[in-house]
Amino acid sequence: MIIVGSDHAGYALKEEVKKYLESMKYEYIDVGTYSLDSVDYPDIAKKLSMKVLEDPANKGILLCGTGIGVSMTANRFKGIRAALCVYPYMATMARKHNNANVLCLGGRLVSPALANEIVEVFLNEKFEGGRHIKRTEKMDTLEP
Ligand code: RB5
């Protein structure tokens, strides 16, 4: 399942991404926010991350104004590999090498057309595995 979520600053782009997902017949769950009223991005990033972690097959699409705050927050959750992407190539590599399971987008940075392109790549590229497995696994072993 695809989980989508945003704060108020990502709300408009989230609605565009949802339209795109619907047009491509992807099913998704929207964990909010559901209006332009101001909310705190860590709350949404937490909600989405917890939902993504329920099933290894899940993927998240998470938005705030820049994508920075939600990516910082989501990456605090063990098992979440959130990638902030502003080019389709970043999404390609985030999937192939980093096995990203959450895509972060900046609602104030990318156009709907570019966001849709990035989303499409993120949803379709496969993790290459191989030498990248031990590297992604190492992320989950890090303790301060
Ligand atoms: C909200 O104004 C903004 O700070 C937030 O959406 C995000 O860009 C934070 O990283």
Side-chain angles (χ1 to χ4, degrees):
M1 180 59 71
I2 300 167
I3 323 295
V4 301
S6 76
D7 73 353
H8 55 287
Y11 174 76
L13 188 60
K14 170 164 69 73
E15 295 308 296
E16 294 296 329
V17 167
K18 279 164 58 180
K19 279 188 220 159
Y20 176 71
L21 293 175
E22 283 158 26
S23 76
M24 299 298 284
K25 312 276 182 240
Y26 287 112
E27 287 185 25
Y28 64 85
I29 295 169
D30 184 355
V31 296
T33 188
Y34 304 113
S35 77
L36 288 169
D37 294 345
S38 183
V39 292
D40 296 334
Y41 60 82
D43 297 335
I44 294 292
K46 177 180 176 184
K47 208 169 164 187
L48 181 138
S49 299
M50 303 298 282
K51 196 90 196 140
V52 167
L53 289 171
E54 283 177 11
D55 184 335
N58 284 348
K59 281 189 181 147
I61 303 173
L62 188 52
L63 305 90
C64 64
T66 57
I68 295 171
V70 286
S71 63
M72 286 179 167
T73 309
N75 279 316
R76 301 278 177 112
F77 292 84
K78 188 172 175 179
I80 293 292
R81 292 172 302 281
L84 172 55
C85 299
V86 294
Y87 300 113
Y89 179 71
M90 294 173 78
T92 301
M93 300 316 289
R95 287 292 307 131
K96 283 186 167 181
H97 284 195
N98 312 116
N99 200 15
N101 53 6
V102 174
L103 168 67
C104 298
L105 293 170
R108 294 170 176 161
L109 291 182
V110 295
S111 67
L114 180 56
N116 293 343
E117 237 185 283
I118 295 170
V119 165
E120 187 59 32
V121 168
F122 174 72
L123 295 178
N124 287 298
E125 283 291 356
K126 303 270 177 290
F127 181 46
E128 280 179 0
R131 71 187 188 280
H132 303 293
I133 294 173
K134 74 176 194 315
R135 297 170 183 168
T136 53
E137 281 177 354
K138 276 186 185 180
M139 290 188 214
D140 288 336
T141 65
L142 301 173
E143 298 289 346

